[in-house]
Amino acid sequence: RSAPRLALSARCLRRTMPVPSHVTRGLRHGDLLFAAEPLDLTTPLYRAIREVGLSTIRWMRERGVVVNEETTSEHVALVVDDASGHPVSVVEAVHLLGVRTAPLQTFFDTFEPGTKFYHGRVNDTTAQQRKAAVSFAMLRCGAPYSDDFSPPSELATTPWTQAFYCSSLVDYAYRHALGEDLVFSPEPFPLAFEPRDFWEEYYRGQGQEVPKGFGSNPTLLLHSSRVTAELIDLAAPPPVEEFHEMF
């Protein structure tokens, strides 16, 4: 993935305005929610996290993927509907906590002020396929977080003993639902840790090596040709018809 959820592991609950109803009405089962936090680029860690995202975009462009803007993302989750078809929660893989569900409001509340959110839809999917993707992820609630960004083990005896990071949960959920080996990239994506010197020193300080192999990251999914994404404006006033209903 583009960067470890370093910025997200210490998130504190911050109350915000309730998620507007016109935002939730636009969400559907199996949609993607992306978070792009405001990174303090005066610090080496956040500069490195940003560079990981930018290197991902360069990799995509080199392979013919059209990326119109250099927005990077640090987290992605799947939208979950209730029995009546209303979006009420997300299923996500979170550092330290693993795979879990969280109320939709909590998803938005737990990020830094100034975070930009994007609503993504996986193109050309049926309701049944989106349901299958969500079911895959939900069956893995309680699974550990993949700190080394390795893919879920095929040797795991139960779904909840497989390990996931945020984008790998979404990636493998849709691989399963669509029956495809690759969904969000034209070829296997090599884990990007740039600048290399910074990440080698960072992981050395933790007694680890820089993760290797192939995987995914939120920025990769955000700009994938298989995803249509748009900025969510939480501060936008309700549509006129909704305003009239209030009075």
Side-chain angles (χ1 to χ4, degrees), residues 126-139:
T126 66
Q128 193 64 30
Q129 289 170 329
R130 295 189 294 274
K131 181 179 179 180
V134 173
S135 295
F136 177 96
M138 293 291 286
L139 280 173

Side-chain angles (χ1 to χ4, degrees), residues 135-200:
S135 295
F136 177 96
M138 293 291 286
L139 280 173
R140 282 144 182 86
C141 284
Y145 187 82
S146 180
D147 288 301
D148 62 357
F149 305 104
S150 60
S153 173
E154 297 180 355
L155 301 178
T157 56
T158 59
W160 54 89
T161 56
Q162 294 179 313
F164 295 88
Y165 50 95
C166 72
S167 60
S168 74
L169 180 67
V170 175
D171 183 18
Y172 278 87
Y174 269 100
R175 290 191 194 197
H176 167 78
L178 302 178
E180 299 177 15
D181 291 333
L182 290 174
V183 174
F184 298 106
S185 60
E187 62 185 74
F189 174 73
L191 292 174
F193 287 92
E194 302 292 342
R196 192 71 183 180
D197 290 346
F198 173 88
W199 291 113
E200 287 179 349

Side-chain angles (χ1 to χ4, degrees), residues 69-84:
E69 58 181 60
E70 296 188 339
T71 300
T72 58
S73 172
E74 293 76 49
H75 186 53
V76 61
L78 279 167
V79 174
V80 180
D81 283 355
D82 62 14
S84 60

Side-chain angles (χ1 to χ4, degrees), residues 64-139:
V65 179
V66 177
V67 180
N68 294 319
E69 58 181 60
E70 296 188 339
T71 300
T72 58
S73 172
E74 293 76 49
H75 186 53
V76 61
L78 279 167
V79 174
V80 180
D81 283 355
D82 62 14
S84 60
H86 297 108
V88 294
S89 61
V90 299
V91 57
E92 59 182 351
V94 180
H95 183 55
L96 300 179
L97 300 177
V99 180
R100 67 168 189 176
T101 60
L104 196 60
Q105 183 71 51
T106 299
F107 175 85
F108 288 102
D109 283 354
T110 54
F111 287 91
E112 292 279 352
T115 295
K116 293 182 178 180
F117 297 98
Y118 293 83
H119 170 206
R121 282 192 170 167
V122 183
N123 301 326
D124 303 320
T125 57
T126 66
Q128 193 64 30
Q129 289 170 329
R130 295 189 294 274
K131 181 179 179 180
V134 173
S135 295
F136 177 96
M138 293 291 286
L139 280 173

